[in-house]
Amino acid sequence: MCLLDRVTACDADGIACLSATHRDASNPLRRDGVLPAVCGLEYALQAMALHGALTDGGPQGVGFLAALAGVEVGAERLDDIQGDLAVSATALARESRGFIYGFAVEGGGRRLLSGRATVVLA
C-alpha cells in the first residue's frame, strides 16, 4: 500500500510529501466510508520509510513501530479534508538499529496529527 503521491522536499534531516489518497473511496484504511485521523500515522510512517530509502540509498529493512510519544490529533477524520495532505517527517535520531522521527500531517489549513515515532529495524 502506497499512500503518498509525491515528495516535495527531501534532505538529510527530513522529508515533505503530499497525498490526495485520503479522499479516495478505495483507500484500504477506510472503514464504513470513513478515514479516521489516526490513520495519518500510516502516512507519516510511510514518509519516514521513504526518507530512509532516499537518504540511505536503498529500501529500509523491516521495521516495527516501537513507540509513539506526544501524539496530538486535531481532527476526527481525514476523508473530509479538502485539498492534499501535507505529510512531513524530521529525523531526530538515526542509528543502524532504528530511528526516531518527529512527524506532522496537515491539511485544510490546520494540523491534523503530530507527534514522535520510534521505529526499530529487524
Side-chain angles (χ1 to χ4, degrees):
M1 160 180 57
C2 181
L3 297 173
L4 303 173
D5 291 324
R6 62 191 166 280
V7 174
T8 59
C10 183
D11 61 23
D13 297 323
I15 190 166
C17 305
L18 292 175
S19 178
T21 63
H22 62 292
R23 294 188 312 270
D24 186 344
S26 65
N27 185 308
L29 299 177
R30 279 188 183 231
R31 295 296 175 257
D32 298 322
V34 174
L35 184 65
V38 71
C39 292
L41 290 169
E42 179 63 25
Y43 285 80
L45 290 166
Q46 286 190 16
M48 293 172 212
L50 183 55
H51 180 253
L54 292 174
T55 58
D56 289 342
Q60 291 289 316
V62 174
F64 299 93
L65 179 60
L68 292 169
V71 174
E72 295 184 13
V73 181
E76 288 187 33
R77 54 195 292 184
L78 300 179
D79 55 285
D80 61 353
I81 301 297
Q82 299 299 312
D84 289 344
L85 295 180
V87 182
S88 62
T90 303
L92 304 174
R94 295 176 75 184
E95 298 180 8
S96 62
R97 299 281 297 153
F99 46 84
I100 300 171
Y101 276 88
F103 63 86
V105 178
E106 299 177 334
R110 62 190 169 127
R111 182 161 285 184
L112 306 169
L113 184 74
S114 63
R116 290 179 311 281
T118 302
V119 176
V120 175
L121 299 175

